[in-house]
Amino acid sequence: MHFSTITAAALPVLLAGITSATELDPLPQLEAYKVPKSWRQPVTPLRIAANTWQIGTEGITALLLTGREGAILIDGGMAQTADHLLANLGVLGLQPADLKLILHSHAHADHVGSLAAVQRATGARIATNAESALLMARGGANDIHFGDGILYSPIQADRILHHGEEVALGNLHLRVHFIPGHTPGSMAWTWQDIVDGNKTQLAYVDSLSAPGYQLINNSRYPDIVQDYQTSFERVRNLPCELLITPHPAASGWLFENTATQKTPLSCKHYADKAERKLQAQLEAERKGSEG
Ligand SMILES: [Zn+2]
């Protein structure tokens, strides 16, 4: 029966077959997005290289690159980090309008949650790839793995990037590398800076984890495992003398009173480690589906 053909007289008959509201369980309580304290613990600007600063929190990276024509922010952390990022710009002697460009690693709430607010406050342009732009425009909704579980203020991209493209602002030059897996739009960024007086290739490489993801027969992302494999290989071959990651501990960094890489990790080892973990997860999922 087509809905429009239901008459008022027929309704009581239809409703009689439906369980009364009091017999149904209440709808679930909404749950906030709870995260570890370190993710919410702000840091003062910590110098990583001559023009590269960590201005986010102990557990989430927000990189500020300072150049002659303004600054670039890569990742902003969670929504509640926005004011802190703006304050840290001030600590470094920058005005909000000095932030010209916003880049990021992947479009989950813990890395881009603050970007809409930072963009409003600074007028910076946002550059990202098509996959991430779509997810950011919907504020993280309808995520392949999390559904509507982790939302944030929607973000409008100003520029769509392609794999291997260079992004420049004055004397700052970065290259983007697409490394799909953790999200279809995951990215790595590489650029050159000075560390201890030496020209150094920095690589900011996205998470390579698959937290709780369905890897086998995922109808929303059938090629997810192949994408990870391609990305592992791509990460191994990045120009990478100093690796930094969205969650600092993943690359051995400790952000407290200083930025210190306690256990330096190469891009190759970062990819190897992630690959072993994914294989184990795949094995467990296979066993689970057999049993
Ligand atoms: Zn994520």
Side-chain angles (χ1 to χ4, degrees):
M1 183 195 288
H2 191 268
F3 188 76
S4 62
T5 64
I6 300 174
T7 61
L11 267 177
V13 179
L14 285 170
L15 291 172
I18 298 171
T19 320
S20 83
T22 51
E23 289 172 32
L24 297 171
D25 290 333
L27 297 170
Q29 187 63 257
L30 292 180
E31 277 183 47
Y33 179 38
K34 294 204 175 70
V35 300
K37 190 175 169 221
S38 67
W39 294 20
R40 295 177 283 111
Q41 185 59 53
V43 296
T44 53
L46 305 175
R47 194 168 225 155
I48 291 176
N51 300 310
T52 303
W53 300 81
Q54 149 66 347
I55 63 166
T57 64
E58 287 184 0
I60 298 181
T61 309
L63 291 179
L64 191 77
L65 276 61
T66 53
R68 284 195 290 272
E69 314 238 323
I72 300 175
L73 178 70
I74 316 180
D75 276 349
M78 296 175 303
Q80 59 268 50
T81 318
D83 287 345
H84 166 64
L85 297 175
L86 296 168
N88 265 348
L89 286 181
V91 172
L92 290 170
L94 298 171
Q95 299 295 320
D98 291 329
L99 185 69
K100 303 293 187 196
L101 190 61
I102 298 174
L103 311 172
H104 74 99
S105 56
H106 72 269
H108 281 157
D110 46 341
H111 307 288
V112 300
S114 63
L115 293 187
V118 172
Q119 185 185 31
R120 274 198 301 277
T122 61
R125 289 165 59 81
I126 293 185
T128 182
N129 58 16
E131 283 282 4
S132 296
L134 289 169
L135 187 54
M136 295 202 306
R138 355 185 251 273
N142 194 15
D143 184 279
I144 288 172
H145 308 284
F146 304 126
D148 291 344
I150 307 170
L151 305 177
Y152 51 85
S153 294
I155 302 154
Q156 298 305 324
D158 298 293
R159 174 178 165 187
I160 297 297
L161 302 168
H162 294 98
H163 171 64
E165 198 175 342
E166 188 187 272
V167 174
L169 176 72
N171 60 322
L172 301 173
H173 297 261
L174 296 96
R175 195 170 296 284
V176 65
H177 312 263
F178 290 7
I179 50 166
H182 185 79
T183 65
S186 284
M187 289 172 275
W189 292 93
T190 55
W191 67 102
Q192 205 174 67
D193 204 338
I194 308 289
V195 179
D196 298 329
N198 301 313
K199 270 191 187 167
T200 304
Q201 283 290 340
L202 272 66
Y204 183 58
V205 185
D206 197 16
S207 306
L208 298 175
S209 61
Y213 292 180
Q214 181 190 333
L215 298 171
I216 301 167
N217 297 328
N218 189 323
S219 61
R220 292 281 310 273
Y221 196 171
D223 288 345
I224 186 168
V225 174
Q226 290 95 311
D227 271 5
Y228 274 104
Q229 298 295 354
T230 305
S231 297
F232 294 147
E233 199 50 30
R234 213 165 252 179
V235 170
R236 284 186 190 103
N237 291 299
L238 288 176
C240 176
E241 291 169 314
L242 188 67
L243 169 67
I244 312 162
T245 47
H247 292 287
S251 47
W253 284 91
L254 192 65
F255 294 148
E256 283 180 1
N257 298 318
T258 57
T260 315
Q261 202 177 18
K262 292 272 177 196
T263 42
L265 197 68
S266 67
C267 279
K268 185 186 175 303
H269 282 118
Y270 179 54
D272 288 349
K273 230 171 127 175
E275 184 163 30
R276 283 197 296 274
K277 207 173 159 193
L278 192 84
Q279 287 305 338
Q281 192 174 332
L282 210 46
E283 211 46 53
E285 194 178 320
R286 229 171 251 136
K287 279 199 186 115
S289 60
E290 280 166 11

